[in-house]
Short mmCIF file of all heavy atoms in Angstrom, two decimals:
data_model
loop_
_atom_site.label_atom_id
_atom_site.label_comp_id
_atom_site.label_asym_id
_atom_site.label_seq_id
_atom_site.Cartn_x
_atom_site.Cartn_y
_atom_site.Cartn_z
N VAL A 1552 -12.96 78.64 111.95
CA VAL A 1552 -12.23 78.09 113.08
C VAL A 1552 -12.00 76.59 112.90
O VAL A 1552 -12.89 75.86 112.51
CB VAL A 1552 -13.02 78.38 114.39
CG1 VAL A 1552 -12.54 77.51 115.53
CG2 VAL A 1552 -12.89 79.84 114.76
N GLU A 1553 -10.77 76.16 113.15
CA GLU A 1553 -10.45 74.73 113.16
C GLU A 1553 -10.55 74.25 114.60
O GLU A 1553 -9.89 74.80 115.48
CB GLU A 1553 -9.02 74.51 112.67
CG GLU A 1553 -8.84 74.62 111.17
CD GLU A 1553 -9.49 73.47 110.41
OE1 GLU A 1553 -9.36 72.31 110.85
OE2 GLU A 1553 -10.16 73.75 109.40
N VAL A 1554 -11.37 73.25 114.84
CA VAL A 1554 -11.49 72.74 116.21
C VAL A 1554 -10.62 71.48 116.35
O VAL A 1554 -10.32 70.82 115.35
CB VAL A 1554 -12.97 72.44 116.57
CG1 VAL A 1554 -13.77 73.72 116.62
CG2 VAL A 1554 -13.58 71.44 115.60
N PRO A 1555 -10.19 71.14 117.57
CA PRO A 1555 -9.30 69.98 117.73
C PRO A 1555 -9.98 68.65 117.45
O PRO A 1555 -11.20 68.52 117.59
CB PRO A 1555 -8.86 70.05 119.18
CG PRO A 1555 -9.54 71.19 119.80
CD PRO A 1555 -10.47 71.82 118.84
N GLY A 1556 -9.14 67.68 117.08
CA GLY A 1556 -9.65 66.32 116.81
C GLY A 1556 -8.90 65.73 115.64
O GLY A 1556 -8.15 66.42 114.95
N ASN A 1557 -9.07 64.44 115.45
CA ASN A 1557 -8.37 63.74 114.36
C ASN A 1557 -9.33 63.28 113.29
O ASN A 1557 -10.46 62.91 113.58
CB ASN A 1557 -7.67 62.48 114.91
CG ASN A 1557 -6.66 62.85 115.97
OD1 ASN A 1557 -5.70 63.56 115.72
ND2 ASN A 1557 -6.91 62.40 117.19
N ARG A 1558 -8.82 63.26 112.05
CA ARG A 1558 -9.51 62.58 110.94
C ARG A 1558 -8.53 61.57 110.37
O ARG A 1558 -7.38 61.97 110.09
CB ARG A 1558 -9.90 63.58 109.84
CG ARG A 1558 -10.91 64.61 110.26
CD ARG A 1558 -11.37 65.39 109.02
NE ARG A 1558 -12.04 66.62 109.36
CZ ARG A 1558 -11.45 67.82 109.43
NH1 ARG A 1558 -10.16 67.95 109.17
NH2 ARG A 1558 -12.15 68.89 109.73
N PRO A 1559 -8.88 60.32 110.15
CA PRO A 1559 -10.19 59.75 110.48
C PRO A 1559 -10.42 59.74 111.98
O PRO A 1559 -9.47 59.68 112.77
CB PRO A 1559 -10.13 58.33 109.91
CG PRO A 1559 -8.68 58.02 109.80
CD PRO A 1559 -7.96 59.32 109.58
N TYR A 1560 -11.71 59.78 112.35
CA TYR A 1560 -12.07 59.77 113.77
C TYR A 1560 -11.75 58.40 114.37
O TYR A 1560 -11.65 57.41 113.65
CB TYR A 1560 -13.57 60.02 113.96
CG TYR A 1560 -14.15 61.10 113.09
CD1 TYR A 1560 -15.28 60.86 112.33
CD2 TYR A 1560 -13.58 62.37 113.02
CE1 TYR A 1560 -15.84 61.85 111.53
CE2 TYR A 1560 -14.14 63.36 112.22
CZ TYR A 1560 -15.26 63.09 111.47
OH TYR A 1560 -15.80 64.06 110.68
N LYS A 1561 -11.65 58.37 115.68
CA LYS A 1561 -11.42 57.07 116.33
C LYS A 1561 -12.61 56.14 116.05
O LYS A 1561 -13.73 56.61 115.82
CB LYS A 1561 -11.19 57.26 117.83
CG LYS A 1561 -12.39 57.73 118.61
CD LYS A 1561 -12.11 57.83 120.09
CE LYS A 1561 -12.07 56.45 120.75
NZ LYS A 1561 -12.27 56.51 122.22
N ASP A 1562 -12.34 54.83 116.05
CA ASP A 1562 -13.41 53.86 115.78
C ASP A 1562 -14.46 53.92 116.88
O ASP A 1562 -14.14 54.18 118.04
CB ASP A 1562 -12.84 52.44 115.73
CG ASP A 1562 -12.05 52.21 114.46
OD1 ASP A 1562 -12.25 52.96 113.49
OD2 ASP A 1562 -11.21 51.29 114.46
N ARG A 1563 -15.69 53.65 116.50
CA ARG A 1563 -16.75 53.56 117.50
C ARG A 1563 -16.61 52.25 118.26
O ARG A 1563 -16.32 51.22 117.66
CB ARG A 1563 -18.13 53.58 116.84
CG ARG A 1563 -18.49 54.93 116.30
CD ARG A 1563 -19.92 54.99 115.82
NE ARG A 1563 -20.15 56.26 115.17
CZ ARG A 1563 -20.40 57.40 115.81
NH1 ARG A 1563 -20.50 57.41 117.13
NH2 ARG A 1563 -20.57 58.52 115.16
N SER A 1564 -16.88 52.30 119.58
CA SER A 1564 -16.85 51.06 120.35
C SER A 1564 -18.06 50.22 119.95
O SER A 1564 -19.14 50.76 119.76
CB SER A 1564 -16.95 51.36 121.85
OG SER A 1564 -16.09 52.40 122.18
N PRO A 1565 -17.88 48.87 119.85
CA PRO A 1565 -19.04 48.04 119.54
C PRO A 1565 -20.09 48.15 120.65
O PRO A 1565 -19.74 48.27 121.82
CB PRO A 1565 -18.47 46.62 119.46
CG PRO A 1565 -17.05 46.70 119.86
CD PRO A 1565 -16.65 48.13 120.07
N LYS A 1566 -21.34 48.15 120.26
CA LYS A 1566 -22.43 48.35 121.24
C LYS A 1566 -22.91 47.00 121.76
O LYS A 1566 -23.31 46.13 120.99
CB LYS A 1566 -23.55 49.13 120.53
CG LYS A 1566 -24.96 48.99 121.05
CD LYS A 1566 -25.25 49.89 122.22
CE LYS A 1566 -26.67 49.70 122.71
NZ LYS A 1566 -26.97 48.43 123.33
N ALA A 1567 -22.85 46.84 123.09
CA ALA A 1567 -23.35 45.59 123.70
C ALA A 1567 -24.87 45.60 123.68
O ALA A 1567 -25.49 46.66 123.78
CB ALA A 1567 -22.85 45.50 125.14
N SER A 1568 -25.46 44.42 123.54
CA SER A 1568 -26.91 44.32 123.59
C SER A 1568 -27.33 44.18 125.05
O SER A 1568 -27.39 43.07 125.60
CB SER A 1568 -27.36 43.10 122.77
OG SER A 1568 -28.76 43.01 122.82
N ALA A 1569 -27.57 45.31 125.70
CA ALA A 1569 -27.91 45.33 127.13
C ALA A 1569 -28.60 46.67 127.41
O ALA A 1569 -28.67 47.53 126.52
CB ALA A 1569 -26.63 45.21 127.96
N SER A 1570 -29.06 46.86 128.63
CA SER A 1570 -29.73 48.12 128.98
C SER A 1570 -29.85 48.21 130.50
O SER A 1570 -29.69 47.21 131.20
CB SER A 1570 -31.14 48.15 128.38
OG SER A 1570 -31.97 47.24 129.09
N PRO A 1571 -30.18 49.41 131.03
CA PRO A 1571 -30.54 49.49 132.44
C PRO A 1571 -31.80 48.64 132.70
O PRO A 1571 -32.55 48.35 131.76
CB PRO A 1571 -30.83 50.98 132.66
CG PRO A 1571 -30.13 51.67 131.54
CD PRO A 1571 -30.18 50.74 130.39
N VAL A 1572 -32.00 48.28 133.97
CA VAL A 1572 -33.19 47.49 134.32
C VAL A 1572 -33.95 48.18 135.45
O VAL A 1572 -33.37 48.96 136.21
CB VAL A 1572 -32.80 46.05 134.77
CG1 VAL A 1572 -32.34 45.21 133.61
CG2 VAL A 1572 -31.73 46.10 135.87
N SER A 1573 -35.25 47.87 135.54
CA SER A 1573 -36.08 48.42 136.62
C SER A 1573 -36.23 47.37 137.71
O SER A 1573 -36.46 46.20 137.40
CB SER A 1573 -37.46 48.79 136.08
OG SER A 1573 -37.34 49.71 135.03
N ASN A 1574 -36.13 47.80 138.97
CA ASN A 1574 -36.27 46.82 140.07
C ASN A 1574 -37.67 46.92 140.72
O ASN A 1574 -38.55 47.63 140.20
CB ASN A 1574 -35.13 46.99 141.09
CG ASN A 1574 -35.19 48.34 141.79
OD1 ASN A 1574 -36.25 48.95 141.91
ND2 ASN A 1574 -34.04 48.82 142.26
N GLY A 1575 -37.83 46.25 141.83
CA GLY A 1575 -39.14 46.15 142.48
C GLY A 1575 -39.68 47.48 143.00
O GLY A 1575 -40.87 47.57 143.34
N ASP A 1576 -38.85 48.53 143.08
CA ASP A 1576 -39.35 49.84 143.51
C ASP A 1576 -40.08 50.59 142.40
O ASP A 1576 -40.63 51.67 142.63
CB ASP A 1576 -38.17 50.72 144.00
CG ASP A 1576 -37.52 50.16 145.26
OD1 ASP A 1576 -38.24 49.49 146.03
OD2 ASP A 1576 -36.31 50.36 145.45
N CYS A 1577 -40.07 50.01 141.20
CA CYS A 1577 -40.69 50.69 140.05
C CYS A 1577 -42.20 50.85 140.28
O CYS A 1577 -42.88 49.90 140.66
CB CYS A 1577 -40.43 49.88 138.79
SG CYS A 1577 -41.28 50.55 137.35
N GLN A 1578 -42.69 52.07 140.01
CA GLN A 1578 -44.12 52.37 140.19
C GLN A 1578 -44.86 52.41 138.84
O GLN A 1578 -46.00 52.86 138.79
CB GLN A 1578 -44.28 53.75 140.88
CG GLN A 1578 -43.53 53.87 142.20
CD GLN A 1578 -44.08 52.95 143.27
OE1 GLN A 1578 -45.28 52.92 143.52
NE2 GLN A 1578 -43.19 52.18 143.89
N LEU A 1579 -44.18 52.01 137.78
CA LEU A 1579 -44.77 51.99 136.43
C LEU A 1579 -45.30 53.37 136.02
O LEU A 1579 -46.33 53.48 135.36
CB LEU A 1579 -45.88 50.94 136.33
CG LEU A 1579 -45.46 49.49 136.65
CD1 LEU A 1579 -46.67 48.57 136.72
CD2 LEU A 1579 -44.48 48.97 135.60
N CYS A 1580 -44.60 54.43 136.44
CA CYS A 1580 -45.10 55.80 136.18
C CYS A 1580 -44.89 56.22 134.73
O CYS A 1580 -45.52 57.15 134.25
CB CYS A 1580 -44.43 56.80 137.12
SG CYS A 1580 -42.68 57.09 136.75
N GLY A 1581 -43.95 55.56 134.04
CA GLY A 1581 -43.74 55.85 132.62
C GLY A 1581 -42.73 56.96 132.34
O GLY A 1581 -42.47 57.29 131.18
N ALA A 1582 -42.12 57.54 133.38
CA ALA A 1582 -41.15 58.63 133.15
C ALA A 1582 -39.99 58.14 132.30
O ALA A 1582 -39.50 58.86 131.41
CB ALA A 1582 -40.65 59.17 134.48
N CYS A 1583 -39.53 56.91 132.54
CA CYS A 1583 -38.39 56.37 131.78
C CYS A 1583 -38.74 56.24 130.29
O CYS A 1583 -37.94 56.59 129.43
CB CYS A 1583 -37.94 55.03 132.35
SG CYS A 1583 -39.26 53.82 132.54
N GLU A 1584 -39.95 55.80 130.02
CA GLU A 1584 -40.39 55.66 128.62
C GLU A 1584 -40.40 57.03 127.94
O GLU A 1584 -39.97 57.17 126.79
CB GLU A 1584 -41.79 55.04 128.58
CG GLU A 1584 -42.32 54.87 127.17
CD GLU A 1584 -43.72 54.24 127.12
OE1 GLU A 1584 -44.09 53.51 128.05
OE2 GLU A 1584 -44.41 54.50 126.13
N ARG A 1585 -40.87 58.05 128.66
CA ARG A 1585 -41.00 59.38 128.06
C ARG A 1585 -39.65 60.03 127.74
O ARG A 1585 -39.55 60.80 126.80
CB ARG A 1585 -41.82 60.30 128.98
CG ARG A 1585 -43.30 59.95 129.01
CD ARG A 1585 -44.13 61.02 129.70
NE ARG A 1585 -43.90 61.08 131.14
CZ ARG A 1585 -44.50 60.27 132.03
NH1 ARG A 1585 -45.35 59.37 131.62
NH2 ARG A 1585 -44.23 60.39 133.32
N VAL A 1586 -38.60 59.72 128.51
CA VAL A 1586 -37.31 60.39 128.23
C VAL A 1586 -36.40 59.59 127.30
O VAL A 1586 -35.38 60.12 126.86
CB VAL A 1586 -36.51 60.72 129.52
CG1 VAL A 1586 -37.25 61.71 130.38
CG2 VAL A 1586 -36.14 59.47 130.29
N CYS A 1587 -36.75 58.35 127.02
CA CYS A 1587 -35.84 57.52 126.22
C CYS A 1587 -35.69 58.07 124.80
O CYS A 1587 -36.68 58.21 124.09
CB CYS A 1587 -36.34 56.07 126.17
SG CYS A 1587 -35.24 55.03 125.18
N PRO A 1588 -34.46 58.40 124.38
CA PRO A 1588 -34.29 59.02 123.06
C PRO A 1588 -34.45 58.06 121.88
O PRO A 1588 -34.56 58.50 120.75
CB PRO A 1588 -32.86 59.57 123.10
CG PRO A 1588 -32.16 58.78 124.13
CD PRO A 1588 -33.19 58.32 125.13
N THR A 1589 -34.43 56.75 122.17
CA THR A 1589 -34.50 55.80 121.06
C THR A 1589 -35.76 54.93 121.13
O THR A 1589 -35.83 53.90 120.44
CB THR A 1589 -33.25 54.90 121.04
OG1 THR A 1589 -33.13 54.25 122.32
CG2 THR A 1589 -31.99 55.69 120.78
N ALA A 1590 -36.72 55.32 121.95
CA ALA A 1590 -37.97 54.56 122.11
C ALA A 1590 -37.69 53.09 122.42
O ALA A 1590 -38.34 52.19 121.90
CB ALA A 1590 -38.84 54.71 120.86
N ALA A 1591 -36.70 52.86 123.29
CA ALA A 1591 -36.33 51.48 123.65
C ALA A 1591 -37.19 50.93 124.78
O ALA A 1591 -37.17 49.72 125.03
CB ALA A 1591 -34.86 51.45 124.05
N ILE A 1592 -37.93 51.82 125.48
CA ILE A 1592 -38.64 51.39 126.70
C ILE A 1592 -40.14 51.44 126.48
O ILE A 1592 -40.66 52.41 125.92
CB ILE A 1592 -38.28 52.33 127.88
CG1 ILE A 1592 -36.76 52.37 128.09
CG2 ILE A 1592 -38.99 51.89 129.16
CD1 ILE A 1592 -36.30 53.39 129.13
N SER A 1593 -40.84 50.39 126.90
CA SER A 1593 -42.31 50.50 126.92
C SER A 1593 -42.80 50.03 128.29
O SER A 1593 -42.36 49.01 128.83
CB SER A 1593 -42.96 49.73 125.78
OG SER A 1593 -42.60 48.39 125.86
N VAL A 1594 -43.69 50.87 128.86
CA VAL A 1594 -44.19 50.60 130.21
C VAL A 1594 -45.67 50.25 130.12
O VAL A 1594 -46.48 51.04 129.65
CB VAL A 1594 -44.00 51.84 131.13
CG1 VAL A 1594 -44.51 51.54 132.54
CG2 VAL A 1594 -42.52 52.25 131.18
N GLY A 1595 -45.98 49.04 130.53
CA GLY A 1595 -47.38 48.59 130.63
C GLY A 1595 -47.55 47.98 132.00
O GLY A 1595 -47.34 48.64 133.01
N ALA A 1596 -47.89 46.69 132.04
CA ALA A 1596 -47.99 46.00 133.33
C ALA A 1596 -46.60 45.78 133.92
O ALA A 1596 -46.44 45.50 135.10
CB ALA A 1596 -48.69 44.66 133.14
N MET A 1597 -45.59 45.90 133.05
CA MET A 1597 -44.19 45.86 133.50
C MET A 1597 -43.37 46.74 132.56
O MET A 1597 -43.90 47.25 131.56
CB MET A 1597 -43.67 44.42 133.50
CG MET A 1597 -43.77 43.73 132.16
SD MET A 1597 -43.35 42.00 132.24
CE MET A 1597 -41.59 42.09 132.37
N VAL A 1598 -42.10 46.94 132.90
CA VAL A 1598 -41.24 47.76 132.03
C VAL A 1598 -40.44 46.84 131.11
O VAL A 1598 -39.75 45.93 131.58
CB VAL A 1598 -40.25 48.61 132.87
CG1 VAL A 1598 -39.38 49.47 131.97
CG2 VAL A 1598 -40.99 49.46 133.87
N GLU A 1599 -40.59 47.06 129.81
CA GLU A 1599 -39.80 46.27 128.87
C GLU A 1599 -38.83 47.18 128.15
O GLU A 1599 -39.19 48.28 127.73
CB GLU A 1599 -40.72 45.59 127.85
CG GLU A 1599 -41.50 44.45 128.48
CD GLU A 1599 -42.40 43.76 127.49
OE1 GLU A 1599 -41.85 43.09 126.59
OE2 GLU A 1599 -43.61 43.92 127.61
N THR A 1600 -37.58 46.74 128.02
CA THR A 1600 -36.55 47.55 127.35
C THR A 1600 -35.92 46.73 126.23
O THR A 1600 -35.53 45.58 126.46
CB THR A 1600 -35.45 47.96 128.35
OG1 THR A 1600 -36.07 48.49 129.52
CG2 THR A 1600 -34.54 49.03 127.75
N ASP A 1601 -35.84 47.33 125.06
CA ASP A 1601 -35.20 46.64 123.93
C ASP A 1601 -33.69 46.88 124.03
O ASP A 1601 -33.21 48.01 123.82
CB ASP A 1601 -35.76 47.22 122.62
CG ASP A 1601 -35.18 46.52 121.39
OD1 ASP A 1601 -34.08 45.93 121.50
OD2 ASP A 1601 -35.82 46.58 120.33
N PRO A 1602 -32.90 45.84 124.37
CA PRO A 1602 -31.47 46.05 124.59
C PRO A 1602 -30.71 46.46 123.33
O PRO A 1602 -29.64 47.04 123.43
CB PRO A 1602 -30.99 44.67 125.09
CG PRO A 1602 -32.01 43.70 124.60
CD PRO A 1602 -33.31 44.43 124.49
N ASP A 1603 -31.28 46.17 122.17
CA ASP A 1603 -30.59 46.56 120.93
C ASP A 1603 -30.80 48.04 120.61
O ASP A 1603 -29.99 48.66 119.94
CB ASP A 1603 -31.06 45.69 119.76
CG ASP A 1603 -30.62 44.25 119.97
OD1 ASP A 1603 -29.52 44.05 120.52
OD2 ASP A 1603 -31.40 43.33 119.63
N LYS A 1604 -31.92 48.60 121.09
CA LYS A 1604 -32.17 50.02 120.84
C LYS A 1604 -31.49 50.91 121.88
O LYS A 1604 -31.23 52.08 121.63
CB LYS A 1604 -33.67 50.31 120.88
CG LYS A 1604 -34.44 49.88 119.64
CD LYS A 1604 -35.85 50.40 119.77
CE LYS A 1604 -36.69 50.14 118.55
NZ LYS A 1604 -38.08 50.58 118.79
N CYS A 1605 -31.24 50.37 123.08
CA CYS A 1605 -30.68 51.18 124.18
C CYS A 1605 -29.28 51.68 123.82
O CYS A 1605 -28.44 50.92 123.34
CB CYS A 1605 -30.60 50.33 125.44
SG CYS A 1605 -29.79 51.18 126.81
N ILE A 1606 -29.04 52.99 124.06
CA ILE A 1606 -27.71 53.56 123.78
C ILE A 1606 -26.95 53.88 125.08
O ILE A 1606 -25.96 54.59 125.06
CB ILE A 1606 -27.80 54.82 122.88
CG1 ILE A 1606 -28.68 55.91 123.52
CG2 ILE A 1606 -28.32 54.45 121.49
CD1 ILE A 1606 -28.62 57.25 122.81
N PHE A 1607 -27.45 53.40 126.21
CA PHE A 1607 -26.82 53.59 127.53
C PHE A 1607 -26.74 55.06 127.95
O PHE A 1607 -25.85 55.44 128.72
CB PHE A 1607 -25.41 52.98 127.58
CG PHE A 1607 -25.35 51.52 127.26
CD1 PHE A 1607 -24.48 51.04 126.28
CD2 PHE A 1607 -26.15 50.62 127.92
CE1 PHE A 1607 -24.43 49.69 125.98
CE2 PHE A 1607 -26.11 49.27 127.63
CZ PHE A 1607 -25.25 48.80 126.65
N CYS A 1608 -27.64 55.89 127.41
CA CYS A 1608 -27.56 57.32 127.74
C CYS A 1608 -27.87 57.59 129.21
O CYS A 1608 -27.49 58.61 129.75
CB CYS A 1608 -28.51 58.12 126.85
SG CYS A 1608 -30.26 57.90 127.27
N CYS A 1609 -28.62 56.67 129.84
CA CYS A 1609 -28.95 56.73 131.27
C CYS A 1609 -29.98 57.82 131.61
O CYS A 1609 -30.15 58.15 132.79
CB CYS A 1609 -27.72 56.88 132.15
SG CYS A 1609 -26.66 55.43 132.03
N ALA A 1610 -30.66 58.34 130.59
CA ALA A 1610 -31.73 59.31 130.89
C ALA A 1610 -32.79 58.66 131.77
O ALA A 1610 -33.32 59.29 132.69
CB ALA A 1610 -32.34 59.81 129.58
#
Side-chain angles (χ1 to χ4, degrees):
V1552 164
E1553 283 290 317
V1554 294
N1557 300 298
R1558 296 189 196 95
Y1560 317 129
K1561 67 177 285 200
D1562 287 340
R1563 288 188 187 279
S1564 314
K1566 155 83 180 68
S1568 180
S1570 72
V1572 288
S1573 302
N1574 65 26
D1576 294 331
C1577 175
Q1578 305 294 310
L1579 301 172
C1580 71
C1583 52
E1584 180 180 334
R1585 288 191 289 278
V1586 296
C1587 180
T1589 56
I1592 304 174
S1593 59
V1594 181
M1597 57 187 284
V1598 181
E1599 287 181 69
T1600 312
D1601 182 337
D1603 294 325
K1604 283 188 175 175
C1605 175
I1606 58 170
F1607 303 127
C1608 72
C1609 296

